[in-house]
Each structure stands twice: as C-alpha cells, then as structure tokens.
Amino acid sequence: MTSIEQLTPEDFDVFLGYLNDHLSDNGRDGTGYFQPLSRHDARFPADKADAFKAGMGIDVGAPGWRRVWVARDADGRIAGHIDLRALAERYAAHRCLLGMGVDRGQRKAGLGGRLIDHARQWATHTARLAWIDLQVLSSNTPAINLYLRNGFHKTGEIADMFNIDGQMFSYTGMSKHLAPA
C-alpha cells in the first residue's frame, strides 16, 4: 500500500528526478504521448521547475500557488504524484488546474484514483475551491477514462493543438465541480 504525502521544497530535487524519469516514457517504446513534449526532449524544463518549486511556497489563492502530493511505495520511492495549481486568468481563484502522473510500474493498480480523491478532498475542504480543471492529450484514452471514472466531464477539445515529432495532437479539456464543504 502506498502512502500519500504533501511534497516539501526540501524533497523537490528527488521529485524532479522522478518526474524526469516519468517523462522519459513520453512517446517511447510503445507508450503513447501523455505530455505535449517531444520524445527527444522529454525532460521537465528548468524554468518550469523553478516556477513549480516557487509555487509551493505561495499562499493558496494568490497568483502562482501550487500544491503537490506524492505517493510513496513501501520502500519510500515516489510511485506517483498529483498537483493542483492556480489558473493564470484573473477572477478564476475559485478554480485550479490538475496535473498528475503515475510511475510505469504502478499504473493500472488504482493509484491514480487515490491521488485524484486526495487532491479533491484537499481542494474541497482545505482550499475551498469550486472546480478542478485539466487538459489532457486527446489520444491519451487511459487518462481520459481515469478522469471520467473520477467524476470529470469533457468540456471541449482543441483540434491539432500540438505538432510533436511530426504528429498532430488534439487537447481535451475536462472539469470536475466540487460539492461545497
């Protein structure tokens, strides 16, 4: 059984190592694309890593905030993660954007649903948010099905949003309304 805990800034470098390993699967060896990144450049960009880490120290509700939770296996290794962050648009502080990933050896074992439920509970009871939004590559049907099973609804699709490695990818938007706490 994995435990889920909030990531601290002190553990960020270990998390970044996990994240880069996770991204190395993107579009390779039979794994579909799950991030809008080239399979030749599937590393978390340094400028985004800096903003990611900085957001962990910003108060929820302020522009740029982010909260991250990691699931750890019995040996303490990161088995998956989920993060919620502020939307960039003004007047959208009642919503957040979800990002997540599950390590290749932990997929299809229910961890994704547990991570989503953990983030949903925090968003509802602690942050008192009204909506969780996300974007997913439209070709990533396992992720879309996971989100649908966990109460998200499709809100739209942008056709051919990305041209990655000579392939066109559409982007599906999804949202989940949170019941008031």
Side-chain angles (χ1 to χ4, degrees):
M1 185 69 146
T2 55
S3 63
I4 298 174
E5 61 190 50
Q6 189 166 347
L7 183 70
T8 64
E10 296 77 30
D11 289 332
F12 187 76
D13 289 340
V14 172
F15 172 73
L16 193 56
Y18 147 82
L19 195 56
N20 283 324
D21 179 59
H22 177 69
L23 290 173
S24 73
D25 289 344
N26 189 51
R28 290 181 186 228
D29 302 325
T31 300
Y33 286 82
F34 53 85
Q35 281 293 314
L37 296 169
S38 168
R39 67 178 167 268
H40 305 293
D41 190 28
R43 293 189 60 76
F44 203 68
D47 61 326
K48 289 192 182 272
D50 291 342
F52 195 110
K53 184 176 180 180
M56 294 168 56
I58 298 173
D59 290 336
V60 174
W65 70 265
R66 183 184 298 251
R67 295 298 177 271
V68 187
W69 296 269
V70 294
R72 295 191 184 272
D73 65 17
D75 296 324
R77 288 186 300 264
I78 298 175
H81 78 283
I82 194 161
D83 67 274
L84 299 176
R85 65 186 182 271
L87 289 152
E89 293 81 9
R90 283 181 79 182
Y91 308 112
H94 62 293
R95 304 180 84 100
C96 67
L97 192 60
L98 179 146
M100 70 175 292
V102 174
D103 184 72
R104 68 185 68 82
Q106 302 286 334
R107 294 181 190 140
K108 298 184 181 180
L111 181 56
R114 285 186 54 222
L115 286 163
I116 290 169
D117 189 57
H118 188 89
R120 179 199 54 79
Q121 288 184 44
W122 179 87
T124 301
H125 300 292
T126 302
R128 306 228 183 270
L129 298 169
W131 292 89
I132 298 176
D133 302 312
L134 63 88
Q135 287 97 32
V136 59
L137 293 175
S138 300
S139 60
N140 190 349
T141 53
I144 290 171
N145 290 334
L146 170 67
Y147 298 132
L148 289 170
R149 283 192 309 272
N150 283 275
F152 285 83
H153 300 279
K154 291 182 182 181
T155 57
E157 181 177 69
I158 302 172
D160 297 338
M161 176 73 175
F162 301 103
N163 183 346
I164 305 168
D165 299 330
Q167 299 177 58
M168 301 305 288
F169 291 90
S170 298
Y171 221 21
T172 295
M174 301 181 80
S175 294
K176 178 177 178 67
H177 186 258
L178 303 173

